[in-house]
């Protein structure tokens, strides 16, 4: 009988040990799950910020294509050279359709996007005016068009400045988000090792 009682005590300690191990594993599972979820959210935020930087570059590229198409048309006087102009405008508009909802609740960034939109619209107006003036004046360059070209250059320089400023802001956000992700990753590894 004494032997049976001792064996029950041992069984009780074993059960407590298994129970404690199970409880620790369960806590570990939930903490790992929580940390993974946090890291996934941070990764999505980093991806979104990278995408914004890429789309801002795509925006300036579309404007350059449009500008190049207009210049080609002025030189060769062939409508085929306006294809990059038309495609560039479509690209820029599609980029804005992506960026607008991303910036909608970000006050400072929303203002930057609005300012950029106004500058781009001004650039469109100048290119369209230059094209129309060129057609209306027998496909000849004039002092008026040269003046418009210089104004267009100043607007394009302003657009480049605003985009670079926006990209710099996004890159700073990216650096901060990456540091947070690295910190969470290190914490997760330490927890797993422990």
């Amino acid at each position: 009988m004494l032997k049976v009682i001792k064996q029950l005590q041992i069984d009780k300690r074993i059960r407590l040990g298994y129970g404690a191990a199970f409880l620790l594993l369960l806590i570990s599972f939930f903490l790992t799950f929580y940390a993974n979820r946090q890291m996934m959210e941070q990764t999505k935020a980093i991806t979104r910020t990278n995408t914004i930087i890429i789309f801002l570059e795509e925006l300036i590229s579309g404007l350059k294509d449009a500008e190049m198409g207009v210049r080609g048309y002025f030189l060769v006087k062939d409508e085929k050279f306006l294809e990059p102009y038309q495609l560039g405008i479509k690209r820029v508009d599609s980029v804005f359709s992506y960026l607008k909802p991303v910036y909608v609740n970000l006050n400072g960034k929303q203002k930057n996007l609005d300012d950029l939109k106004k500058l781009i619209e001004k650039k469109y107006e100048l290119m369209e005016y230059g094209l129309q003036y060129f057609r209306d004046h027998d496909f000849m360059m004039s002092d008026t068009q040269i003046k418009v070209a210089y104004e267009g250059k100043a607007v394009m320089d302003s657009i480049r400045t605003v985009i670079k400023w926006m990209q710099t802001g996004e890159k700073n956000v990216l650096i901060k988000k990456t540091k947070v992700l690295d910190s969470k990753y290190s914490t997760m590894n330490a927890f797993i090792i422990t």
Side-chain angles (χ1 to χ4, degrees):
M1 176 89 162
L2 195 57
K3 189 176 179 184
V4 173
I5 291 174
K6 281 185 179 184
Q7 195 159 14
L8 281 176
Q9 286 178 344
I10 292 172
D11 288 346
K12 199 179 216 184
R13 282 185 276 165
I14 290 173
R15 277 188 257 152
L16 277 173
Y18 278 122
F22 176 76
L23 185 63
L24 288 174
L25 282 174
L26 189 63
I27 291 170
S28 173
F29 170 77
F30 284 118
L31 288 174
T32 303
F33 181 76
Y34 174 76
N36 273 338
R37 197 164 178 210
Q38 294 264 321
M39 287 180 8
M40 283 176 51
E41 288 175 17
Q42 198 66 28
T43 302
K44 286 178 186 177
I46 288 171
T47 302
R48 187 173 42 250
T49 302
N50 263 331
T51 303
I52 290 170
I53 292 168
I54 291 167
F55 272 113
L56 288 169
E57 194 62 41
E58 182 71 18
L59 193 120
I60 195 74
S61 178
L63 283 170
K64 287 177 187 176
D65 287 351
E67 200 173 47
M68 180 194 64
V70 170
R71 285 186 191 143
Y73 179 69
F74 287 162
L75 289 171
V76 181
K77 300 173 185 135
D78 185 354
E79 294 279 331
K80 290 179 186 175
F81 283 85
L82 289 179
E83 189 177 309
Y85 166 73
Q86 294 157 346
L87 292 174
I89 288 175
K90 287 179 183 176
R91 272 177 49 200
V92 170
D93 291 343
S94 70
V95 168
F96 260 101
S97 68
Y98 171 80
L99 289 176
K100 192 172 183 176
V102 170
Y103 280 102
V104 78
N105 293 326
L106 305 172
N107 295 335
K109 291 182 179 184
Q110 179 66 44
K111 184 183 178 327
N112 293 336
L113 193 65
D114 292 342
D115 292 346
L116 184 60
K117 182 70 171 168
K118 289 175 188 171
L119 286 169
I120 289 172
E121 287 171 354
K122 179 68 174 171
K123 181 67 178 169
Y124 286 168
E125 288 172 19
L126 291 170
M127 287 190 290
E128 191 58 43
Y129 175 79
L131 286 170
Q132 193 59 47
Y133 191 90
F134 189 67
R135 289 176 185 132
D136 292 346
H137 291 88
D138 297 323
F139 302 99
M140 300 296 286
M141 291 298 288
S142 68
D143 290 340
T144 302
Q145 278 191 284
I146 292 171
K147 182 182 170 190
V148 169
Y150 277 108
E151 190 177 345
K153 182 189 179 321
V155 171
M156 191 65 167
D157 290 343
S158 296
I159 290 170
R160 282 187 183 99
T161 301
V162 170
I163 287 177
K164 286 294 180 195
W165 194 79
M166 290 172 76
Q167 283 180 322
T168 300
E170 292 298 328
K171 287 175 183 176
N172 290 337
V173 168
L174 185 64
I175 289 167
K176 289 177 186 173
K177 289 179 180 179
T178 303
K179 284 181 182 178
V180 169
L181 182 63
D182 287 344
S183 171
K184 288 182 180 183
Y185 181 73
S186 296
T187 303
M188 175 86 158
N189 281 339
F191 178 76
I192 289 171
I193 290 170
T194 301

